[in-house]
Amino acid sequence: MRELYIAGNWKMNYKPGEAAVFAKQIADAVKNLKVKVMIAPPFVCLPAVTEAVKGSNVIVAAQNVNDHASGAYTGEISCDMLKDIGVNTVIVGHSERRQYYGETNEFINKKVLFAIENEMDVILCVGETLEERDSGRLEKVLADQINIGLSGVSENQMEKITVAYEPVWAIGTGKTATPSDADSAHAYIRSLIAEKFGKTVAENTIIQYGGSVKPANAKELMACSNIDGALVGGASLTLEPFLSIINASKK
């Protein structure tokens, strides 16, 4: 049975001091829950947050990572730097990285491969724009993102991969895919993984939903058979909404 996994992507919010206080509040609130919880603060907050949640069951992740070990890559962060401060999980291919910074499926694949080769867990984000959905290209877009993004990954390495389906048109807009639409997309992603790695791997792969997840819709989304959790944006920035989503994930 797949483990439920709720992740909070803080994006470019919070300074180190306030991030540490908030992270400790989350860790205290979820210490007795049987739900996998992750938070991804900005890079400058990572040392303070990892220290604040030390000894808890809260995972701390980075929002991005480079595909090289070191070198002349101004503004970038390596796997070794993250691991040295206790961060072993990274988000790769978020739609904002694709949209604002031109990250391609091929480039994202390099990051995926480098991260898992460095024994890091990866949340690989995939999802279509509204124009792609309306033009009937949903399945083509998802197939490219999965097949290219996971190119070179072995069946055993898929244990390190979580997939997050985030329809781009629903991120930060207040719009949300209907539970039926979201579950259908998750089922299609699972079928792509089955084609590539086999049914067992597909059935064991956690697929989160991301896209304006909030307390009002979380329970209905989490009840869908192919949705294994959520990658939460804005609603992860305050305690009560985030805890409501975590609690709604109890199937």
Side-chain angles (χ1 to χ4, degrees), residues 39-151:
I39 51 177
F43 283 134
V44 296
C45 299
L46 287 172
V49 169
T50 54
E51 184 63 30
V53 304
K54 185 177 292 184
S56 76
N57 58 345
V58 174
I59 299 164
V60 179
Q63 298 174 18
N64 189 27
V65 71
N66 192 255
D67 62 324
H68 291 83
S70 62
Y73 302 100
T74 300
E76 293 296 308
I77 301 292
S78 73
C79 291
D80 281 348
M81 293 174 183
L82 294 173
K83 291 170 69 176
D84 194 60
I85 59 169
V87 175
N88 296 293
T89 302
V90 293
I91 298 172
V92 175
H94 191 279
S95 64
E96 290 159 359
R97 300 297 311 176
R98 295 175 187 264
Q99 180 180 358
Y100 302 144
Y101 303 102
E103 294 193 0
T104 64
N105 291 326
E106 289 79 10
F107 182 49
I108 290 163
N109 174 244
K110 290 181 180 180
K111 293 186 179 189
V112 168
L113 292 176
F114 196 73
I116 58 178
E117 285 166 6
N118 280 271
E119 300 182 343
M120 300 193 79
D121 293 327
V122 174
I123 294 181
L124 170 64
C125 300
V126 300
E128 81 286 1
T129 65
L130 185 59
E131 187 273 330
E132 289 167 339
R133 172 177 278 266
D134 287 347
S135 64
R137 289 185 286 150
L138 167 64
E139 291 191 355
K140 174 66 166 62
V141 169
L142 293 180
D144 285 346
Q145 291 175 339
I146 289 293
N147 289 328
I148 298 173
L150 295 177
S151 178

Side-chain angles (χ1 to χ4, degrees), residues 195-218:
E195 289 176 11
K196 194 172 183 67
F197 300 103
K199 184 176 180 180
T200 299
V201 171
E203 287 301 315
N204 289 331
T205 299
I206 295 171
I207 307 177
Q208 301 169 320
Y209 173 77
S212 294
V213 179
K214 44 190 177 289
N217 60 31

Side-chain angles (χ1 to χ4, degrees), residues 1-7 35-36 163-165 176-180 182-183 186 190 206-233 235 241-251:
M1 185 174 179
R2 296 184 297 271
E3 185 176 19
L4 295 169
Y5 190 2
I6 306 295
V35 178
K36 189 175 180 180
V163 176
Y165 168 63
T176 311
T178 66
S180 176
D183 195 54
H186 280 236
R190 205 174 298 285
I206 295 171
I207 307 177
Q208 301 169 320
Y209 173 77
S212 294
V213 179
K214 44 190 177 289
N217 60 31
K219 188 171 184 178
E220 195 173 8
L221 286 166
M222 296 305 109
C224 296
S225 60
N226 283 289
I227 297 179
D228 308 314
L231 179 58
V232 187
F242 192 44
L243 290 181
S244 293
I245 293 169
I246 291 170
N247 285 318
S249 69
K250 298 175 184 176
K251 294 186 179 179

